[in-house]
Amino acid sequence: MERCSSVTRALAAVGPRLKRVRTARGVTLAGLSEVTGISKSTLSRLENGRRRPSLELLLPIARAHQVPIDELVGAPEVGDPRVRLKPHVVSGNTVLPLTRQPGPLQSYKMVLPASRDTPEPCTHEGYEWLYVLSGRLRLVLADHDMVLAPGEVAEFDTRLPHWFGSTGQGSVEVLSLFGRQGERMHVRARPAGGTPASGE
């Protein structure tokens, strides 16, 4: 409903905008009609809001005035693509969401403290991708216990018992990509009862 009303308002503003652009250039309706091939009556109805603007009408008008069509229709500016980082702490880990829009895949930067060095393997549905930015990341995956250095990447099925953290020698910064289930396990909350939902 809100979207429909905003479209209606935008369309209603096109006519007055067309008139402002034309008069600012000192062009008459007759003159514009001659240049665009659009009848004077149609141009008048457009400016008065009695004719719905269409692309086939707006393109020649924009060309005649030598302005972008966005200027005639008042297209909204493209939003700022930067993500405003809002870190929060989950089980001692600092988590910075890097994606704004909801979707099947979410990305995070995680800072894991040196004290996070006791493996607590867990399992859940999903798939995970990790990239080490700094520090040394200890990854326990099923029967494997390994250490990843900066620039190294790991990806794995989270149905396997897994845990990642510090080697105990310093904090670790990682980029992590995972789906909704992983998001719930890693960056939201532990379930009631005191048992960790995730070792991560």
Side-chain angles (χ1 to χ4, degrees):
M1 223 22 215
E2 184 179 340
R3 183 179 176 184
C4 290
S5 61
S6 64
V7 170
T8 301
R9 287 195 301 271
L11 289 175
V14 171
R17 192 175 291 110
L18 290 174
K19 188 170 185 176
R20 283 197 302 271
V21 172
R22 179 179 61 78
T23 55
R25 285 163 171 72
V27 178
T28 64
L29 282 173
L32 185 58
S33 174
E34 186 176 339
V35 173
T36 61
I38 301 170
S39 71
K40 182 179 172 181
S41 61
T42 298
L43 291 172
S44 178
R45 289 200 305 274
L46 272 174
E47 291 186 359
N48 294 328
R50 297 196 305 269
R51 174 70 183 263
R52 190 179 180 89
S54 67
L55 197 56
E56 64 181 352
L57 292 174
L58 294 176
L59 279 175
I61 295 173
R63 194 177 302 119
H65 291 320
Q66 295 185 331
V67 297
I69 197 167
D70 287 1
E71 188 173 322
L72 297 181
V73 299
E77 295 182 7
V78 175
D80 188 341
R82 291 173 295 184
V83 177
R84 307 297 178 183
L85 300 181
K86 294 182 180 178
H88 52 278
V89 178
V90 180
S91 302
N93 307 312
T94 301
V95 179
L96 296 96
L98 301 179
T99 42
R100 294 184 300 185
Q101 302 299 325
L105 195 65
Q106 297 294 307
S107 60
Y108 293 87
K109 176 182 177 181
M110 304 176 75
V111 181
L112 315 175
S115 58
R116 181 190 167 87
D117 60 356
T118 302
E120 298 175 352
C122 70
T123 61
H124 56 84
E125 290 294 323
Y127 203 78
E128 186 143 4
W129 180 92
L130 297 171
Y131 176 86
V132 183
L133 293 169
S134 66
R136 292 171 64 79
L137 179 76
R138 182 181 176 192
L139 172 63
V140 176
L141 179 63
D143 296 330
H144 301 282
D145 191 336
M146 61 201 86
V147 175
L148 281 69
E152 290 193 290
V153 177
E155 57 178 339
F156 52 89
D157 187 327
T158 54
R159 289 173 296 184
L160 292 171
H162 63 283
W163 171 92
F164 58 85
S166 169
T167 59
Q169 299 174 345
S171 62
V172 188
E173 293 186 21
V174 299
L175 289 180
S176 179
L177 299 179
F178 42 70
R180 293 189 186 95
Q181 181 69 12
E183 180 183 24
R184 185 180 69 79
M185 299 297 286
H186 298 314
V187 301
R188 297 215 180 271
R190 298 177 185 272
T195 303
S198 171
E200 290 146 20

